[in-house]
Structure formats: structure tokens, C-alpha cells
Amino acid sequence: MNLKKAAILLSGSLLMTLSGAVVHAAVDEADAQKLLKDSQCGKCHDEKRNKKGPSFKKTAAEYKGKPDAMALITKNLTEPHEVEVDGEKVEHGAVKTRDAARIKNLAEWILSR
Ligand code: HEC
């Protein structure tokens, strides 16, 4: 086996190991909760109970089976926009992090309620 071939084989198996790790990574419950708390989402959202905003359980049910669920939720968590609370338009707010992995984790947490 020449060196180039060996390198290709090696990087191939490395990639497989890495993607396997991503697939098997479970939602980090503690980090999702912390990010919700730090971003003050609890003012309007609860996991199971509707408050000013819908419960995360309700949102998860609404998005179940939709192929673009992750994209839509991520957009909702990161891009400023207005929502209506008691007939008034208010800033929705966004997560207090720019860490893509933490945002993805929170979106997955919401969708798995
Ligand atoms: C001022 C109250 C308020 C705050 C603060 C708030 N939300 Fe919301 N959120 C709402 C309301 C109201 C809606 C419903 C909007 C609608 O149905 O158009 C909503 C909708 C959502 C949805 C569902 C979107 C959809 O398309 O169904 C998610 C997910 C969400 N919020 C997550 C969060 C997270 C995470 C935070 C913290 C960064 C947060 N919200 C902060 C009021 C709030």
C-alpha cells in the first residue's frame, strides 16, 4: 500500500468515527436548561405549560415530522423578531450565545419535549 492510499483510508475511518459520535450524542439537558435560564426565556415559556408563549411541548408537537423544523426553530432562537403578547407587539428576544453547538442542542431539546 502506498502512502497516499493509506492516508485516504485513515481519514475515511476517522470521518466515520466522528460522524458516529455526532449521531449518538444525546441532548444535553443541563446545558439546554442553563441557556434558557440565561436568556430569560422562562418569562414567557415553560416546558409543559403555556404562558405568554406556547409551551415547548406544544411547539415540539407542532413541528413533529417537519423536515425544516430545526432550521425554523434555530431561526426563531437566534434572529430578533416581534411576537404578540396580550395584543401588544414585543421583542421576542434571542439566546444569549453565539455558540452554534449550544443553539443546536437547545433546538433539539425543544423539539424532543
Ligand atoms: C416576551 C415573551 C417571550 C420571550 C422572552 C421569549 N418568547 Fe418565545 N415566543 C413568545 C410568543 C408570544 C411566541 C408565539 C409566537 C407566535 O406564535 O407567532 C413564541 C414562540 C416561540 C417558539 C415557537 C416558534 C414557532 O414557530 O412555533 C419558540 C421555539 C420560542 N418562542 C423559544 C423561545 C426561546 C428559546 C426564548 C429565549 C431566548 C424565548 N422564546 C423568549 C414569547 C416569548
Side-chain angles (χ1 to χ4, degrees), residues 35-36 39-45 52-54 56 59 62-63 72-73 76-77 81-85 90-96 106 110:
L35 188 51
L36 286 174
S39 312
Q40 301 185 330
C41 313
K43 274 196 300 189
C44 302
H45 294 282
K52 288 176 184 165
F56 292 130
T59 298
E62 251 166 52
Y63 282 85
L72 290 171
I73 296 288
N76 194 277
L77 303 188
H81 61 281
E82 286 188 334
V83 291
E84 225 175 273
V85 175
V90 293
E91 262 306 312
H92 182 259
V95 286
K96 299 269 178 284
L106 179 57
I110 291 173

